[in-house]
């Protein structure tokens, strides 16, 4: 289904949505292309003329109504996420709570968009800075958090007074449809939020080339992000890019080992490792590496793999066959390069399902020759490297083109602070494997992107400062 100018629309062209736990078709949804994207952008532009002038209180009321509806439907939303993405239902339920959290937060922030007055250099002048919405925003979202990736973009955009055209990932469009149903029933004025599902490149190139779109906000791969940045250059759009990551996870000899082991279960195995801030390289001080890897392997081998709708499942399927093959390839390469598989290591076949499952895997004796050391894995594979000194591990941790998230375990306060400063990443978790919260800025440096989502920082991305100088005589 497409949602353009406040109305649902069917189309003759359809896209099949699969359940990754079974490989079977769940349903087919209507799609649109260039023409529909143009229409959606035109309706967002028209709506901006009024939405952009509403008061913060008015916008807050709309967002709060959407919150109410999402809360009432949270069970249905969570089930939809599990069906199209595969993650276990408790994780999907947490995603729904987080997704609603963005709307709650920005419903409040809509009322708190302040300007500044500046001291003038001339006594007869009054200088002010006012903050205005950017305009029409195009949002492109991935499949790994099919709901919360949408709300973390749309909530601040609407709060700021922008209007939006969303293209969700084509493998997970159902969560997008459900959340747009909430917007529709919340009475959001026509054109304020529009949904176009369809061929990525066709929709994406209209979004980037259309001069009426003033901002592109994207979460996805670095490859596609770079293309969108290049394509947006001709019309000089404002951009926010949340791209790939390759997170180091450093465990010093003074760390609380059990806490560090449990942290990997969260940071690596939630969402079957399909998270941009997921741990990719676990660096463990040589003196504790064997103890750490044995403890981790024992915990990982106890994780239950299966269909996310079933109770007790910890790790669901990967999103598709290509993802499964990529992970398998990385593991085979790691073994060839001298890695030792402590647990897992293979494609996992469930008796009743034919989905895309991979065994939760721990690989010891990882080294820098392995593909897994530089390529994003997006799967449930934990490679363990060893190190000797703090200086060495900082250098190795930073040696990545990415700079999204990094983790560090130590009980030494001074060392924790030194690591905080030395790690070249947008997000640093010290003794904390789950740092992402709605009020904090989420985003990377280097090729992990530009711009932040969350808190007051996320709102700034949808506002422009206008400087006004008034001569009073
Ligand atoms: P992933 O590897 O996580 O699937 P992608 O960057 O391929 O990451 O996908 C993230 C989002 O970008 C999805 O909504 C996808 O449909 C979209 N996308 C992929 N290719 C393009 C493109 N050429 N132009 C615009 N959007 C794209």
């Amino acid at each position: 289904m497409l949602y353009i100018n406040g109305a649902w629309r069917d189309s003759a062209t359809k896209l099949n949505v699969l359940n990754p736990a079974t490989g079977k078709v769940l349903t087919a949804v209507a799609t649109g292309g260039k023409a529909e994207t143009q229409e959606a952008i035109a309706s967002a532009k028209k709506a901006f003329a009024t939405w952009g002038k509403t008061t913060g209180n008015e916008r807050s009321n709309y967002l709060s109504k959407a919150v109410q509806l999402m809360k009432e439907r949270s069970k249905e939303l969570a089930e939809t996420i599990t069906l199209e993405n595969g993650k276990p239902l408790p994780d999907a339920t947490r995603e729904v709570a987080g997704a609603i959290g963005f709307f709650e937060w920005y419903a409040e922030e809509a009322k708190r968009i302040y300007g500044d007055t500046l001291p003038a250099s001339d006594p007869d002048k009054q200088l002010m800075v006012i903050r205005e919405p950017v305009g029409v925003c195009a949002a492109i979202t991935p499949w790994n958090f099919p709901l919360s990736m949408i709300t973390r973009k749309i909530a601040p955009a609407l709060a700021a007074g922008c209007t939006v055209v969303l293209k969700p990932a084509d493998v997970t469009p159902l969560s997008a449809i459900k959340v747009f149903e909430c917007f529709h029933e919340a009475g959001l004025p026509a054109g304020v939020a529009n949904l176009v599902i369809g061929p990525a490149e066709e929709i994406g190139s209209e979004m980037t080339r259309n001069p009426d779109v003033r901002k592109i906000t994207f979460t996805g791969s670095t490859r596609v992000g770079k293309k969108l940045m290049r394509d947006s250059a001709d019309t000089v759009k404002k951009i926010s890019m949340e791209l790939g990551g390759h997170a180091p996870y450093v465990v010093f000899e003074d760390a609380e080992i059990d806490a560090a082991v449990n942290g990997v279960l969260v940071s690596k195995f939630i969402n079957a490792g399909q998270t941009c801030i997921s741990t990719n390289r676990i660096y463990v001080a040589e003196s504790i590496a064997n103890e750490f890897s044995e403890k981790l392997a024992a915990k990982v081998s106890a994780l239950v793999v299966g269909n996310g709708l079933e109770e007790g499942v910890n790790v669901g399927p990967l999103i598709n066959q290509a993802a499964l093959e990529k992970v398998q390839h990385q593991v085979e390469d790691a073994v060839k390069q001298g890695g030792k598989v402590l647990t897992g290591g293979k494609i996992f076949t469930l008796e009743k399902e034919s989905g895309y499952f991979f065994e939760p895997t721990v690989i010891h004796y990882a080294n820098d020759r392995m593909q897994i050391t530089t390529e994003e894995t997006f799967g449930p594979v934990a490679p363990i490297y060893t190190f000797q000194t703090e200086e060495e591990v900082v250098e190795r941790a930073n040696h990545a083109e990415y700079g999204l998230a990094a983790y560090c375990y130590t009980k030494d306060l001074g060392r924790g602070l030194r690591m905080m400063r030395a790690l070249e990443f947008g997000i640093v978790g010290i003794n904390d494997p789950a740092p992402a919260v709605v009020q904090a800025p989420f985003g990377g440096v280097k090729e992990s992107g530009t711009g932040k989502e969350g808190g007051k920082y996320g709102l700034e991305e949808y506002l422009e400062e206008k400087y006004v100088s008034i001569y009073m005589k």
Side-chain angles (χ1 to χ4, degrees), residues 3 6 51 62-63 154 158 182-193:
Y3 185 73
W51 182 255
Y62 282 112
L63 283 146
I154 294 190
L158 300 188
C182 295
F183 298 162
H184 183 72
E185 285 171 49
L188 208 58
V192 169

Side-chain angles (χ1 to χ4, degrees), residues 140-143 167-170 200-201 204 218-221 224 227-228:
I140 301 178
T141 52
W143 48 264
K167 190 207 87 63
D170 32 15
E201 208 158 338
F218 171 74
T219 300
S221 63
V224 173
K227 178 177 164 29
L228 297 174

Side-chain angles (χ1 to χ4, degrees), residues 318-328 347 354-357:
L318 299 186
I319 193 69
N320 56 27
Q321 183 66 25
L324 199 58
E325 284 168 16
K326 180 186 174 192
V327 172
Q328 185 184 29
I347 286 175
S354 53
Y356 313 113
F357 299 96

Side-chain angles (χ1 to χ4, degrees), residues 154-423:
I154 294 190
L158 300 188
C162 294
T163 55
V164 180
V165 179
L166 171 75
K167 190 207 87 63
D170 32 15
V171 280
T172 56
L174 304 180
S175 304
I177 292 172
K178 292 258 180 262
V179 77
F180 269 73
E181 283 169 2
C182 295
F183 298 162
H184 183 72
E185 285 171 49
L188 208 58
V192 169
N194 304 272
L195 171 66
V196 184
I197 297 164
E201 208 158 338
E202 189 178 329
I203 296 171
S205 53
E206 183 57 34
M207 286 174 158
T208 46
R209 295 197 165 88
N210 192 316
D212 290 335
V213 173
R214 294 311 318 140
K215 179 182 169 80
I216 298 274
T217 170
F218 171 74
T219 300
S221 63
T222 296
R223 182 185 63 81
V224 173
K226 285 179 180 175
K227 178 177 164 29
L228 297 174
M229 287 173 85
R230 277 193 291 270
D231 292 352
S232 301
D234 281 343
T235 45
V236 194
K237 298 190 198 313
K238 202 172 164 83
I239 47 167
S240 297
M241 296 279 146
E242 206 270 272
L243 309 177
H246 207 281
Y249 187 103
V250 181
V251 185
F252 285 101
E253 63 275 8
D254 59 41
E256 176 114 29
I257 295 192
D258 291 335
V261 166
N262 289 332
V264 174
L265 297 184
V266 174
S267 169
K268 178 78 250 182
F269 292 96
I270 291 262
N271 225 18
Q274 303 173 109
T275 306
C276 42
I277 59 167
S278 184
T279 285
N280 281 271
R281 293 166 283 148
I282 305 170
Y283 294 105
V284 184
E286 198 159 35
S287 57
I288 57 162
N290 286 341
E291 182 186 351
F292 179 91
S293 47
E294 276 162 30
K295 284 187 163 169
L296 181 62
K299 292 246 167 155
V300 169
S301 62
L303 293 174
V304 178
V305 183
N307 187 320
L309 287 178
E310 275 170 27
E311 231 177 276
V313 165
N314 307 114
V315 180
L318 299 186
I319 193 69
N320 56 27
Q321 183 66 25
L324 199 58
E325 284 168 16
K326 180 186 174 192
V327 172
Q328 185 184 29
H329 184 78
Q330 279 194 358
V331 171
E332 283 168 4
D333 169 74
V335 169
K336 229 182 273 165
Q337 302 291 345
K340 184 175 171 205
V341 174
L342 299 185
T343 184
K346 296 189 302 298
I347 286 175
F348 180 82
T349 325
L350 277 175
E351 256 169 49
K352 340 175 244 192
E353 320 273 9
S354 53
Y356 313 113
F357 299 96
F358 199 85
E359 293 176 347
T361 301
V362 178
I363 299 177
H364 199 7
Y365 310 113
N367 60 57
D368 294 351
R369 294 187 305 279
M370 298 173 175
Q371 279 169 6
I372 205 166
T373 310
T374 48
E375 259 184 27
E376 218 178 352
T377 306
F378 250 58
V381 183
I384 299 173
Y385 307 73
T386 59
F387 71 91
Q388 310 262 357
T389 67
E390 186 178 316
E391 198 185 10
E392 173 207 340
V393 81
V394 164
E395 152 96 32
R396 290 171 69 192
N398 285 338
H399 187 72
E401 66 207 35
Y402 297 114
L404 186 54
Y407 306 89
C408 163
Y409 275 76
T410 178
K411 280 196 285 195
D412 178 334
L413 177 62
R415 174 173 264 161
L417 289 168
R418 288 196 297 279
M419 291 301 286
M420 170 191 91
R421 291 185 180 185
L423 289 165

